[in-house]
Amino acid sequence: LLYGYYSPPGCRWSEPFSRPAKLLAGRLGFFGAKGEEGYPATLSLLRLPRALAVDVEAQLLYVSDATNHIIRVIDLRSPKEDGGSRISTVAGVMEESGTILDDPDKLHLNKPFGLALDKSRGYLYVADEGNHVVLLLTLSGGSYGDSGGSNTTNSTITIGAASVVAGTPGVAGEATGFSALLSSPNGLTLDSDRNLLYIADNGNSRLCVVDLETGYLSSIDISIDSPVGLAIDTEANLLYASDYTSHVVLKVDLA
């Protein structure tokens, strides 16, 4: 499918601070669902891409293509003479929403949002906003060893396994502990040294942290209205959170 918009006279794509900006994936001004495995990224179509996570060593960029209900991966190593960077679907079924429970052979997502990559363990964490859960995807293939997963495969990365880290698929709620409930989780950030995953639990107006060793989820005791983006400074033990509807960015001391 192909959609477009009309650009009024005088509108142009600017380059901030006069730095060159190159289109990596998608088509400027168009959205839709296009781009099978290994497809040229600049010929693909995305629909409301949200979060990014980059594997610098492997030169792979993960994209949450939200309303196509998929996670895509762009191979940044693709040579220019071969058409440039290639894009593939690494998780989800394009234009088909669902939950992790729907089909044992195909991983379904519903408006994936935040991403966090644990390169050392080969894990990708996904905030599956429409299903009110955070998922852990075990990556294999490419730089992560031999492929052998059964969910979604491309020439670079395979999903070897998928599991729920927090929440219950399709159930919105507010609860902590080992049986935690979330509501429309947005941003994620990972403290890989302490094995802690922070979640912007947007629908519940709270920030949460999951101890990935035990699976226990706790709420962080601060006042926030609509948390979306998260970033962490592990050395200073500081968490930064954007509060979308309050038009502010908060700094949280985790010590």
Side-chain angles (χ1 to χ4, degrees):
L1 296 176
L2 174 66
Y3 303 87
Y5 70 80
Y6 170 68
S7 180
C11 289
R12 65 186 179 90
W13 186 26
S14 62
E15 297 180 348
F17 308 110
S18 299
R19 303 278 179 97
K22 295 182 178 179
L23 186 65
L24 179 64
R27 295 177 61 189
L28 187 66
F30 295 88
F31 64 92
K34 184 179 180 182
E36 301 304 322
E37 310 313 307
Y39 200 78
T42 53
L43 298 180
S44 67
L45 291 174
L46 310 175
R47 188 179 295 169
L48 299 183
R50 288 177 171 176
L52 303 173
V54 64
D55 181 340
V56 176
E57 181 182 349
Q59 285 292 282
L60 298 172
L61 180 68
Y62 296 89
V63 183
S64 57
D65 191 359
T67 49
N68 279 327
H69 309 295
I70 54 178
I71 305 298
R72 304 177 106 165
V73 61
I74 301 171
D75 187 347
L76 303 173
R77 302 165 299 179
S78 304
K80 291 182 180 179
E81 58 270 19
D82 193 33
S85 298
R86 299 283 169 162
I87 194 167
S88 299
T89 299
V90 72
V93 180
M94 189 179 290
E95 294 190 288
E96 188 176 311
S97 64
T99 79
I100 190 175
L101 304 177
D102 289 347
D103 188 333
D105 298 318
K106 293 181 180 179
L107 174 61
H108 284 81
L109 304 171
N110 187 356
K111 298 184 179 68
F113 201 119
L115 300 176
L117 180 66
D118 187 340
K119 166 68 178 176
S120 63
R121 296 177 175 88
Y123 294 160
L124 181 66
Y125 296 93
V126 178
D128 193 6
E129 182 188 22
N131 286 323
H132 313 293
V133 294
V134 174
L135 303 178
L136 182 157
L137 309 183
T138 302
L139 304 173
S140 59
S143 64
Y144 296 99
D146 296 331
S147 62
S150 59
N151 285 313
T152 304
T153 306
N154 59 59
S155 59
T156 304
I157 293 295
T158 298
I159 299 300
S163 59
V164 176
V165 171
T168 298
V171 179
E174 183 176 5
T176 57
F178 294 110
S179 300
L181 292 175
L182 304 172
S183 178
S184 300
N186 281 195
L188 302 175
T189 193
L190 178 69
D191 182 342
S192 57
D193 293 334
R194 298 178 178 88
N195 215 13
L196 299 173
L197 182 68
Y198 293 87
I199 305 168
D201 190 12
N202 185 280
N204 286 322
S205 301
R206 64 174 180 170
L207 301 181
C208 301
V209 57
V210 181
D211 184 330
L212 297 171
E213 295 285 347
T214 65
Y216 192 92
L217 182 141
S218 305
S219 293
I220 298 175
D221 189 18
I222 67 163
S223 177
I224 192 166
D225 185 51
S226 182
V228 176
L230 295 178
I232 192 167
D233 181 344
T234 55
E235 291 187 7
N237 212 16
L238 295 173
L239 179 68
Y240 299 92
S242 63
D243 191 346
Y244 180 74
T245 54
S246 297
H247 314 289
V248 297
V249 175
L250 303 179
K251 181 173 72 172
V252 183
D253 190 342
L254 300 173

